[in-house]
Amino acid sequence: MDTADTGFVPLLEQVAVHSRPRLFAIYGSYKRDPTEPLLGWGMEFAAGGAVFHALDDGSTHLSETAQDVLEVQSVIGDVRLTWLDG
C-alpha cells in the first residue's frame, strides 16, 4: 500500500511544517585574534536540542539550546546570536 494513499504523508507534512526548527547564526570574532571572524549557523528544535555548524573549520556541535551554543562559543570569541527566521 502506498503511504500517500493512507494520508500518512500529508500528516507528516503538517508535522514537518509545524515543528520546523528555528534557524540562528552566531557571529563575531575570536578572542585570540579579533581580526579573525567567527561565524556559524544552526537550528534549534522545538522538541529540544540544537545543532551548530562552524564555517571556519567545518565542525558541527550539538547542544540543548541555541543559547547554550552561544555560551560555549563565547569562551573562544566575542560573539552574538541572531535568529534568522523572525
Side-chain angles (χ1 to χ4, degrees):
M1 176 183 281
D2 187 350
T3 57
D5 295 333
T6 67
F8 189 69
V9 171
L11 176 61
L12 284 177
E13 179 183 13
Q14 290 175 2
V15 171
V17 170
H18 177 59
S19 300
R20 69 186 176 274
R22 291 183 69 193
L23 304 177
F24 66 92
I26 292 180
Y27 62 95
S29 62
Y30 283 93
K31 290 180 179 178
R32 69 175 184 254
D33 181 357
T35 65
E36 186 178 351
L38 189 159
L39 176 62
W41 297 269
M43 296 183 292
E44 182 179 79
F45 298 91
V51 62
F52 174 74
H53 184 77
L55 179 64
D56 66 331
D57 64 3
S59 62
T60 301
H61 308 271
L62 303 176
S63 192
E64 290 298 315
T65 67
Q67 185 63 39
D68 289 345
V69 174
L70 178 66
E71 289 175 20
V72 169
Q73 294 299 310
S74 70
V75 170
I76 60 170
D78 294 317
V79 291
R80 296 181 182 188
L81 179 142
T82 190
W83 293 101
L84 301 174
D85 52 3

